[in-house]
Amino acid sequence: MMTDLTDLVLTIVRPLVTQPDLVKLDVEESADFYEYNLSVAPEDIGRIIGKQGRVAKAIRTIVYGVRTEGTKKIRLNILDGK
């Protein structure tokens, strides 16, 4: 399940950025969430967030639509590479 979701996020994100090799997705599990921490090259952060956050919102809509087993929710964090 986790690898499927990781692949899904990477498949969506990689074509959007200028440096797909620098796209990194780490997964952390907490009591209530599966935290997906996405980091991209600093010059690509704007491409992932998009105007008024539209691209990030669209990515999150897709990811949050994926059903998980149990009660844990998915959270996608877009890390600012600063």
Side-chain angles (χ1 to χ4, degrees):
M1 167 61 197
M2 293 286 123
T3 53
D4 291 347
L5 197 53
T6 301
D7 289 345
L8 173 66
V9 173
L10 293 176
T11 301
I12 294 168
V13 169
R14 282 195 176 124
L16 299 174
V17 297
T18 58
Q19 297 189 46
D21 297 343
L22 297 180
V23 173
K24 206 170 113 204
L25 188 64
D26 297 316
V27 183
E28 294 174 16
E29 194 174 335
S30 67
D32 300 317
F33 292 96
Y34 293 112
E35 302 262 0
Y36 283 78
N37 298 311
L38 176 68
S39 57
V40 296
E43 61 270 22
D44 285 332
I45 195 81
R47 291 171 177 271
I48 294 302
I49 294 173
K51 287 190 174 126
Q52 297 175 337
R54 286 191 183 119
V55 175
K57 188 171 186 244
I59 294 169
R60 286 190 172 117
T61 299
I62 294 167
V63 171
Y64 294 168
V66 174
R67 292 200 178 270
T68 57
E69 295 169 14
T71 58
K72 290 190 184 183
K73 294 191 178 345
I74 296 167
R75 183 183 285 162
L76 178 65
N77 304 313
I78 298 170
L79 307 179
D80 197 343
K82 291 177 184 167

